Amino acid sequence: MPEHASAPSHLVDRDPQVTPQQMAAALVPPPQFADASFESYRPDPDYPSQAEVRDTVAAFVASGAGAAAPRRGLFGRRRSAAPEAGAKSGVYLDGGFGVGKTHLLAAAYHAASGRKTFGTFIEYTALVGALGFQGTVDLLRGTALVCIDEFELDDPGDTMMMTRLIKELSETGTRFAATSNTPPGALGEGRFAAQDFLREIQAMSDRFDTLRIDGLDYRRRAVDESAAVVPDVAAALPAGAVTLDDFDAVVAHLGTVHPSKYVALVEGLDAVGLTDARPFTDQTDALRWVALVDRLYDAQVRIVASGTPLDAVYPQSMLDGGYRKKYLRAASRVVALTRAA
């Protein structure tokens, strides 16, 4: 470790306490996207849908209605009845990881007028857990635009809760913008019986229009790289606020901290050091790690690691399952974070 660096602390010693008020106040774009705009979005010329979606989302925000969006539902199904003109209350950005969906979502947040919120799906569900459903409705009522990043339907309870929340808020004039790495028709696929919740899913889909974004992962456009590893993590840690822990110890610690607190867990850090990373054997541990990687990426916290490259910690059996795109997104992000200057 550089001589001018202070002694590292330990991530496993952090046990953040977050109040509902702090959770609500944190519903803003992460620092990485604090200045995101439609103008600063750089579409790949080889994939025209990127520029088209940018322009459609910009028009959605500027007009206050989704009339300019394609006539498709959130889950790609044909609507049983066409809604009244201007009745659609949201846009859903569907595409792979690394095509700029979160940038466009943050741009929509910054361009929107009036009260607005920005958070991941898990942050909104955690808010419901802290405030209760009606308390969350009361808090968000009157919001002009609610941005939901990384929309997920991994849990049937969360599915029904979010559909109710969208329904109640949209009926009072709130509009929505959402992103997901999973094609809308496959949300929940391989994780729970999505067909059992068809009524709730269809009710939500009628309020959104799907915008498909094609393209390559921008984090890997230039060169196909793996996550970097170092022989001596302590020596490679940069100066600043850093932590140093055994990889297995961090994974175990994540099981004691609710994922809604992972933002606070990494707050103020410049880098995290992880020794002896190795492949996962438990899917719950792997999913908690994915949630931590998302928060590290949002905060642009560098990762310095030894052992197995962190984009190779998911066995093929996990990659073949319903969480494949989550794992691939995390793999893409750790490549960027371990190679950050």
Side-chain angles (χ1 to χ4, degrees):
M1 184 171 55
E3 294 182 0
H4 60 282
S6 58
S9 59
H10 300 287
L11 202 62
V12 297
D13 292 337
R14 291 189 162 209
D15 183 22
Q17 303 302 312
V18 184
T19 67
Q21 293 74 22
Q22 290 172 319
M23 293 167 66
L27 291 177
V28 297
Q32 182 190 3
F33 298 103
D35 299 316
S37 67
F38 294 120
E39 292 74 20
S40 63
Y41 179 70
R42 295 291 178 262
D44 187 335
D46 292 334
Y47 295 91
S49 63
Q50 294 188 10
E52 292 169 1
V53 169
R54 176 199 60 193
D55 295 343
T56 301
V57 175
F60 169 78
V61 173
S63 67
R71 293 182 176 275
R72 293 178 57 203
L74 171 60
F75 291 85
R77 298 187 177 95
R78 181 175 299 184
R79 294 189 176 88
S80 57
E84 296 179 2
K88 296 185 292 296
S89 58
V91 290
Y92 177 97
L93 279 60
D94 162 32
F97 44 85
V99 295
K101 299 186 307 298
T102 301
H103 182 120
L104 290 175
L105 191 68
Y109 172 93
H110 293 306
S113 57
R115 186 180 166 206
K116 50 205 174 180
T117 62
F118 182 108
T120 62
F121 182 88
I122 196 172
E123 286 179 293
Y124 287 108
T125 57
L127 193 62
V128 173
L131 297 179
F133 180 81
Q134 192 56 49
T136 303
V137 171
D138 293 341
L139 175 70
L140 297 178
R141 184 180 287 116
T143 302
L145 180 67
V146 170
C147 298
I148 308 171
D149 201 18
E150 300 165 15
F151 203 106
E152 301 172 357
L153 295 182
D154 296 341
D155 178 87
D158 287 346
T159 301
M160 298 178 73
M161 178 278 297
M162 188 58 78
T163 57
R164 286 182 59 206
L165 187 66
I166 289 173
K167 178 179 182 294
E168 294 208 16
L169 292 175
S170 64
E171 289 178 349
T172 63
T174 295
R175 294 179 298 135
F176 296 84
T179 74
S180 177
N181 289 317
T182 303
L187 283 170
E189 186 176 280
R191 286 165 270 177
F192 69 89
Q195 63 270 21
D196 293 342
F197 302 92
L198 180 60
R199 182 174 61 183
E200 287 79 7
I201 290 172
Q202 186 61 52
M204 181 165 58
S205 72
D206 286 341
R207 302 176 187 275
F208 284 78
D209 281 310
T210 297
L211 307 176
R212 173 68 191 181
I213 310 178
D214 299 305
L216 302 175
D217 179 0
Y218 77 89
R219 289 179 289 267
R220 291 189 172 183
R221 282 179 193 168
V223 60
D224 187 13
E225 296 179 322
S226 295
V229 294
V230 299
D232 187 338
V233 176
L237 282 171
V242 300
T243 59
L244 179 60
D245 299 89
D246 176 74
F247 180 75
D248 283 349
V250 169
V251 171
H253 183 58
L254 294 179
T256 70
V257 181
H258 191 276
S260 64
K261 298 180 180 179
Y262 289 2
V263 172
L265 187 67
V266 303
E267 185 177 7
L269 292 179
D270 297 304
V272 296
L274 301 168
T275 59
D276 300 321
R278 61 189 181 93
F280 288 104
T281 58
D282 181 87
Q283 184 149 258
T284 299
D285 288 341
L287 290 171
R288 288 174 180 145
W289 169 251
V290 167
L292 180 67
V293 168
D294 286 339
R295 305 292 76 80
L296 290 169
Y297 185 76
D298 285 344
Q300 288 295 282
V301 178
R302 182 180 172 186
I303 298 176
V304 181
S306 66
T308 301
L310 289 174
D311 60 333
V313 293
Y314 310 107
Q316 193 61 44
S317 59
M318 291 186 185
L319 292 176
D320 289 340
Y323 297 105
R324 174 180 175 83
K325 291 200 173 183
K326 278 190 174 185
Y327 297 141
L328 293 179
R329 181 186 73 223
S332 168
R333 290 180 167 184
V334 295
V335 169
L337 293 178
T338 59
R339 294 184 174 277

